[in-house]
Amino acid sequence: MQPAESRIKNSFARYVQETPAAPALWVQGVSYSYRELSVVVDRLRVALRQQKALAMGAPVAVFAARSLTAYAAVLACAAEGLTWVPLNPAFPRDAGSAYVAVVRRTGGNCG
């Protein structure tokens, strides 16, 4: 069985290729096609690759607001094989940093 990241990455890529104009996401009253979502995901993948901390296996903190960027960030992390940590935007920054540190120490195995 494929790891979850591979299944997500492959499924998303297939939908982008086969049905680029189909609605992929509806956020805050706006519909985004697979093509539009893919453009944002690709930009975020480039940005993620440029981060030195990620080369060392650091998890990616994703503020879990209902936004195009948040959903795209999760897809970008999956496509890059990175661990991502959902954070509540209302969370105090210090608490969020501590949570990411725990995930880093445990290698993303929180369960």
Side-chain angles (χ1 to χ4, degrees):
M1 183 173 216
Q2 288 181 315
E5 305 89 35
S6 294
R7 289 193 309 268
I8 292 168
K9 177 180 160 182
N10 293 339
S11 294
F12 181 68
R14 187 178 71 246
Y15 280 107
V16 170
Q17 186 171 7
E18 294 175 3
T19 59
L25 184 63
W26 183 268
V27 179
Q28 299 174 351
V30 179
S31 177
Y32 297 95
S33 70
Y34 279 98
R35 181 184 310 112
E36 292 168 320
L37 181 56
S38 177
V39 167
V40 178
V41 169
D42 290 344
R43 283 188 203 139
L44 290 173
R45 288 180 71 181
V46 169
L48 286 169
R49 288 184 203 132
Q50 294 172 348
Q51 298 299 312
K52 292 178 185 177
L54 299 181
M56 297 182 288
V60 178
V62 176
F63 287 104
R66 292 182 180 166
S67 69
L68 172 62
T69 304
Y71 289 110
V74 170
L75 289 168
C77 289
E80 293 297 316
L82 299 169
T83 300
W84 63 279
V85 180
L87 296 179
N88 183 335
F91 230 42
R93 293 268 183 207
D94 292 344
S97 296
Y99 183 58
V100 171
V102 168
V103 173
R104 184 177 295 131
R105 282 195 309 273
T106 62
N109 298 318
C110 298

